[in-house]
Amino acid sequence: MYSVNKDRVNFLIQGLAQFGKNEEGKGITRLAYSEDDRTAQNWLLEQIADLNLEITEDAVGNVFMLRKGEDETLPPVAMGSHLDTVIQGGAYDGMTGVVGALEIMQMLKDEKLTRGLLTIVFRAEESARFNNATMGSKLMAGKATVEKLSNGTRKGDISFPEALKAWGCDPEKASEAIKQPGCFDSFWEIHIEQGKVLEETGEQIGIVKSIAAPTRFKMFITGTADHSGATPMGFRHDALVSAAKLILAVEKAATDEKEHGTVATVGVIEIEPGSVNVVPGKATLFVDLRGIDNDSIARALASIEKAMEDVAASDGVEITRQILTQDKPVGLDQNLVSILDDICKADGVKYRIMPSGAGHDAMHMASLVPTCMVFVPCKGGISHNPAEFAKIEDIAKGIDIMAQAVYKRAK
Amino acid sequence: MYSVNKDRVNFLIQGLAQFGKNEEGKGITRLAYSEDDRTAQNWLLEQIADLNLEITEDAVGNVFMLRKGEDETLPPVAMGSHLDTVIQGGAYDGMTGVVGALEIMQMLKDEKLTRGLLTIVFRAEESARFNNATMGSKLMAGKATVEKLSNGTRKGDISFPEALKAWGCDPEKASEAIKQPGCFDSFWEIHIEQGKVLEETGEQIGIVKSIAAPTRFKMFITGTADHSGATPMGFRHDALVSAAKLILAVEKAATDEKEHGTVATVGVIEIEPGSVNVVPGKATLFVDLRGIDNDSIARALASIEKAMEDVAASDGVEITRQILTQDKPVGLDQNLVSILDDICKADGVKYRIMPSGAGHDAMHMASLVPTCMVFVPCKGGISHNPAEFAKIEDIAKGIDIMAQAVYKRAK
């Protein structure tokens, strides 16, 4: 096995960062199924042409890059991540996993392997475009349908089925993308931590044993639009004032569950009519609630529901809720965790076995095949932000550790 | 003097309502200086062609429709209002005043008049497009410059100078629109109340003695954009959570001054990046604060400033403020109020002398010439809303009362 080529890894990560790049300081906006998503992927495929991989695309646009093994009857060892970003995102979230997987294929290219090696590019891991996350892997795991994922169209954008068509896929045939349990030997994903734990403890590797999963819902507040000058205080049903109370209630619900690792965020707010001289008549909030403890998540949700009732009653507004996704936290494969644990011990690297606060495509792969993840530290824990940064030394260490594990499974 | 032709008035109001009409139930969006603003005005001018008025436009697009008087050395009696609407607005705010003024010209068309009669269509009374209100009348009164009014461009829209150019005006020549004190004999505006007072008291006419003026400002909150799943509660600087506290502080500041008639509204909120899985890093709030009591307005402003300091300190975010407009409440002409008072008494109509909570073009005309306004009731006090409605009988009564006053000044 060759050692990690840091220059090659860095070249691919920085090269991908040119696609969807915003003006200075505003990071990268490369939304799923966009033209930038396509051109970034095409550029990457050109760069790894020397690997002579067999490249296929499934019915929803997930891409598979296969190096066949000696025994083609055995399922391959799979790796991968995603190339799409949030709005004004960074260069490392997702790309580290795709580039890392391809680097492992370079490192092992001259090794004789019994099993094949597969790198997967999952489509639409980020919810930035369609308000649903890990869409490609969820469809692949048969956990959702295109219809179910079509509930989150953004103002001024096309719907998910329309985006599939624009990508060249037939939404009617999406179920052909579903894979069966045992389709791979195992699935491995390297990712930046997107938190501050590794940086603060000075550890270089995180072995992920469980993944928190998001519950996402919209809250719709309906008050009364009125003239801002001629409507006395006390005569108003201001939807934005009620929304502000709910934003604080969401933050309190999660803060009360802080010790269990539960978090909640209102990341999107839309109001109508949105004019400086009109009391807002309608407000919509998108809430993202996550944790690794089901009971804690349920308590936070109940607390938010209580606030909805209280605010509706006190403010004389109507508040309804629509659940978009409600995923369960996922435990990863204990056997794969042990393999990584042994490799880290032998290597002498500082590491920890930890949960993931963020969701990943790996959580859906875990329902099909034994799955594990490797985290590397990122600066300040910052992610989904132009300032997202991970040191090439840390990324290389993560690739090196995962390469040893993958080799062990494939050889 | 002919009596009011209700059918003609209704025809013009309903006819104007067709321009910028949204889908069912979403009212009218006819933004200032837009194509719809232009076509609505052109349609109106065609309808009143029989009056043979001398029509001119000033350097910022305000339109003047003049019937000359016997003595052309005397300044005319001026009336008017506006044709632009808010986003998803109604059919009566502004249009009642323009159509009412033109109806008075119809009623007096066969009377011999010493002074001329002038109907003015002021451009951009609503702040919906450029986040500044009464732009046309403010420029006419020399109270602002195009440069000063160019601070409120909305996302995705062109700037005010660009809109002036698109309308056919040269922004460099805007100062040519400035009028001098005494340019008219007097200015009169009929308007729906946009409040609930007349409806609740059962009075048909409001004689406006003063106009509350808006103080408008933006608050900019800068926190830190972070991954919504991997950033624990307590490690966040969520700009939207801080914004929510400020929205409630704005509402409290005005509610504490309720007895003085002060009101405050956050009508616009913008956040960045606005993605369901990112803790918001930036938020911008547009605040509209109004009253008829300078001391009360100042106390409310001080209370909001205190909240800005408190929230910045408690949440570890940066909060800055930018004042967009800061107008003083305006007293209208006592002599004109008396004329209307006498007419109402003689007529036997139920009326009241009252302040206006909303701002109007009349408040800028008041700095040039004696000015007064007539209010008519509107249903539920609702305005800036598709449900805005005023009875034709009430509008006709307002026109009738104002026609008598205007005739008295012009004859």
Side-chain angles (χ1 to χ4, degrees):
Chain A
M1 183 167 70
Y2 299 109
S3 58
V4 180
N5 181 331
K6 287 181 202 172
D7 289 343
R8 184 165 55 200
V9 170
N10 203 44
F11 172 77
L12 291 181
I13 290 176
Q14 299 312 324
L16 285 167
Q18 303 309 308
F19 298 90
K21 191 174 185 175
N22 302 316
E23 59 182 297
E24 194 57 35
K26 298 272 187 177
I28 303 158
T29 301
R30 190 164 65 237
L31 297 179
Y33 294 97
S34 67
E35 196 52 35
D36 286 324
D37 193 11
R38 168 76 77 193
T39 52
Q41 178 172 285
N42 286 349
W43 178 84
L44 182 64
L45 294 181
E46 284 168 25
Q47 308 314 307
I48 51 108
D50 61 306
L51 283 171
N52 288 312
L53 304 176
E54 181 186 294
I55 295 173
T56 54
E57 191 170 319
D58 73 11
V60 297
N62 296 309
V63 169
F64 302 85
M65 296 177 261
L66 177 68
R67 170 200 156 169
K68 289 185 183 159
E70 303 282 314
D71 184 347
E72 291 192 35
T73 67
L74 293 176
V77 177
M79 306 173 281
S81 196
H82 62 97
L83 296 178
D84 62 320
T85 74
V86 298
I87 296 166
Q88 299 183 6
Y92 298 88
D93 172 5
M95 284 61 82
T96 303
V98 174
V99 171
L102 291 169
E103 179 62 17
I104 290 172
M105 290 174 114
Q106 296 278 11
M107 292 163 72
L108 295 174
K109 72 176 175 185
D110 293 334
E111 301 292 337
K112 191 176 154 190
L113 298 177
T114 309
R115 291 181 183 271
L117 287 184
L118 183 67
T119 293
I120 308 174
V121 174
F122 296 100
R123 288 262 92 68
E125 196 272 347
E126 302 293 358
S127 56
R129 184 165 185 196
F130 298 112
N131 287 309
N132 282 290
T134 59
M135 294 167 78
S137 55
K138 203 178 271 180
L139 288 163
M140 202 191 293
K143 286 187 178 180
T145 59
V146 168
E147 190 188 1
K148 197 183 156 194
L149 295 175
S150 300
N151 57 358
T153 309
R154 287 168 63 91
K155 270 189 181 170
D157 197 359
I158 58 176
S159 69
F160 178 44
E162 288 166 330
L164 276 173
K165 280 183 207 155
W167 190 263
C169 299
D170 179 355
E172 302 290 324
K173 294 188 176 164
S175 64
E176 293 177 7
I178 297 173
K179 293 225 177 281
Q180 299 307 315
C183 54
F184 314 130
D185 163 74
S186 51
F187 177 78
W188 305 79
E189 181 172 3
I190 183 168
H191 208 281
I192 58 168
E193 182 198 346
Q194 305 181 289
K196 302 171 185 181
V197 177
L198 295 177
E199 187 180 68
E200 290 189 359
T201 59
E203 290 152 340
Q204 204 174 13
I205 293 290
I207 302 171
V208 182
K209 64 173 180 179
S210 59
I211 302 179
T215 294
R216 285 183 176 165
F217 55 93
K218 290 187 194 180
M219 288 193 282
F220 303 95
I221 302 115
T222 306
T224 310
D226 273 317
H227 191 288
S228 65
T231 314
M233 307 311 287
F235 285 81
R236 299 173 169 219
H237 302 285
D238 184 328
L240 181 56
V241 167
S242 303
K245 293 175 186 174
L246 291 174
I247 290 164
L248 298 180
V250 166
E251 130 114 343
K252 182 174 187 306
T255 302
D256 288 348
E257 295 292 332
K258 193 166 64 169
E259 65 196 275
H260 303 285
T262 299
V263 295
T265 310
V266 180
V268 179
I269 179 169
E270 291 168 357
I271 64 170
E272 284 187 38
S275 186
V276 70
N277 57 349
V278 188
V279 177
K282 290 188 181 182
T284 304
L285 304 177
F286 284 61
V287 184
D288 177 286
L289 168 66
R290 307 197 196 196
I292 46 170
D293 177 336
N294 275 325
D295 293 341
S296 171
I297 294 169
R299 284 193 300 270
L301 202 54
S303 166
I304 295 167
E305 279 165 354
K306 175 73 166 56
M308 285 172 60
E309 284 172 26
D310 292 349
V311 172
S314 67
D315 293 5
V317 298
E318 186 186 290
I319 306 176
T320 59
R321 201 190 60 182
Q322 180 195 0
I323 297 275
L324 300 172
T325 53
Q326 197 160 21
D327 297 331
K328 295 275 180 213
V330 173
L332 297 186
D333 188 79
Q334 195 48 52
N335 186 28
L336 302 196
V337 168
S338 295
I339 292 173
L340 288 167
D341 194 4
D342 291 344
I343 292 168
C344 286
K345 276 201 182 83
D347 183 277
V349 66
K350 286 180 77 180
Y351 73 102
R352 83 162 39 210
I353 297 172
M354 64 190 294
S356 168
H360 296 285
D361 293 308
M363 70 193 176
H364 301 306
M365 292 303 101
S367 70
L368 298 175
V369 299
T371 293
C372 198
M373 289 187 77
V374 170
F375 271 176
V376 294
C378 60
K379 191 177 173 188
I382 295 166
S383 183
H384 288 186
N385 185 299
E388 184 179 275
F389 178 74
K391 286 185 215 157
I392 187 66
E393 292 72 25
D394 294 337
I395 294 172
K397 177 55 80 176
I399 294 171
D400 179 46
I401 296 294
M402 202 169 94
Q404 295 180 53
V406 165
Y407 183 45
K408 192 178 162 77
R409 298 288 290 202
K411 76 180 176 191
Chain B
M1 182 166 71
Y2 299 109
S3 58
V4 180
N5 181 333
K6 287 180 201 172
D7 289 343
R8 186 166 53 200
V9 170
N10 203 43
F11 172 77
L12 291 181
I13 290 176
Q14 300 312 324
L16 286 167
Q18 303 311 307
F19 297 91
K21 192 174 184 177
N22 302 316
E23 59 182 298
E24 194 56 33
K26 297 272 189 178
I28 302 156
T29 301
R30 191 166 63 236
L31 297 180
Y33 293 97
S34 67
E35 196 53 33
D36 286 324
D37 193 12
R38 168 76 76 192
T39 53
Q41 179 171 285
N42 286 348
W43 178 84
L44 183 64
L45 294 182
E46 283 169 28
Q47 308 314 307
I48 51 109
D50 60 308
L51 283 171
N52 289 311
L53 304 176
E54 182 185 294
I55 296 172
T56 54
E57 191 170 320
D58 73 11
V60 296
N62 296 310
V63 169
F64 301 85
M65 297 176 261
L66 177 68
R67 170 200 157 169
K68 289 184 182 158
E70 301 283 314
D71 184 347
E72 292 193 33
T73 66
L74 293 176
V77 178
M79 305 173 281
S81 197
H82 62 97
L83 296 178
D84 62 320
T85 74
V86 298
I87 296 165
Q88 299 183 7
Y92 298 88
D93 171 5
M95 283 60 82
T96 303
V98 174
V99 171
L102 291 169
E103 179 61 19
I104 290 171
M105 291 174 114
Q106 296 277 10
M107 291 164 73
L108 295 174
K109 72 176 173 185
D110 292 334
E111 301 292 337
K112 191 178 156 190
L113 298 177
T114 309
R115 291 181 183 270
L117 286 184
L118 183 67
T119 293
I120 309 174
V121 175
F122 296 101
R123 288 261 91 69
E125 196 271 348
E126 303 292 358
S127 56
R129 185 164 185 197
F130 298 112
N131 287 308
N132 282 289
T134 61
M135 293 168 77
S137 55
K138 201 177 273 178
L139 288 163
M140 203 192 293
K143 288 186 178 180
T145 59
V146 168
E147 191 188 1
K148 196 182 157 196
L149 295 175
S150 300
N151 56 1
T153 310
R154 288 168 63 91
K155 269 190 183 172
D157 198 359
I158 59 176
S159 70
F160 178 44
E162 287 167 330
L164 276 173
K165 280 184 208 156
W167 190 263
C169 299
D170 178 355
E172 302 290 325
K173 296 188 176 164
S175 63
E176 293 177 7
I178 296 173
K179 294 226 177 281
Q180 299 307 317
C183 55
F184 314 131
D185 162 75
S186 51
F187 178 77
W188 306 79
E189 181 172 3
I190 184 168
H191 207 283
I192 57 168
E193 182 200 345
Q194 306 182 288
K196 301 171 185 182
V197 176
L198 295 177
E199 187 180 68
E200 290 190 359
T201 59
E203 290 153 340
Q204 205 174 12
I205 293 290
I207 302 170
V208 182
K209 64 172 180 181
S210 59
I211 302 178
T215 295
R216 285 182 177 166
F217 55 94
K218 290 188 195 180
M219 289 193 281
F220 303 95
I221 302 114
T222 306
T224 309
D226 273 316
H227 191 288
S228 66
T231 314
M233 307 311 286
F235 284 81
R236 298 173 170 219
H237 302 284
D238 185 328
L240 181 57
V241 167
S242 303
K245 293 175 186 174
L246 291 174
I247 290 165
L248 298 180
V250 166
E251 130 115 343
K252 183 176 186 305
T255 303
D256 288 348
E257 295 292 332
K258 192 166 65 169
E259 65 196 276
H260 303 285
T262 300
V263 295
T265 310
V266 180
V268 179
I269 179 170
E270 290 168 357
I271 65 170
E272 285 187 38
S275 186
V276 69
N277 57 349
V278 187
V279 176
K282 289 188 182 182
T284 305
L285 304 177
F286 285 61
V287 184
D288 177 286
L289 168 65
R290 307 196 195 196
I292 45 169
D293 177 336
N294 276 326
D295 293 341
S296 171
I297 295 170
R299 284 192 301 269
L301 202 54
S303 167
I304 295 167
E305 281 165 352
K306 176 74 166 54
M308 285 171 61
E309 285 173 24
D310 292 349
V311 172
S314 68
D315 293 6
V317 297
E318 186 187 292
I319 305 176
T320 59
R321 200 189 61 181
Q322 179 195 2
I323 297 274
L324 299 173
T325 54
Q326 197 160 19
D327 298 330
K328 295 275 179 213
V330 173
L332 297 186
D333 188 77
Q334 194 49 53
N335 186 30
L336 301 196
V337 168
S338 296
I339 292 173
L340 289 168
D341 195 3
D342 292 344
I343 292 168
C344 286
K345 277 202 184 82
D347 184 277
V349 67
K350 287 181 76 179
Y351 74 102
R352 82 161 41 211
I353 297 172
M354 65 189 294
S356 168
H360 295 287
D361 293 309
M363 69 192 178
H364 302 306
M365 292 302 100
S367 70
L368 298 175
V369 299
T371 293
C372 198
M373 289 187 77
V374 170
F375 271 175
V376 294
C378 60
K379 191 178 173 189
I382 295 166
S383 183
H384 287 187
N385 185 299
E388 184 179 278
F389 177 74
K391 287 185 215 157
I392 186 66
E393 292 72 24
D394 293 338
I395 294 171
K397 177 56 78 177
I399 294 171
D400 179 45
I401 296 294
M402 202 168 94
Q404 295 179 52
V406 164
Y407 182 46
K408 192 178 163 75
R409 297 290 289 200
K411 75 180 176 190

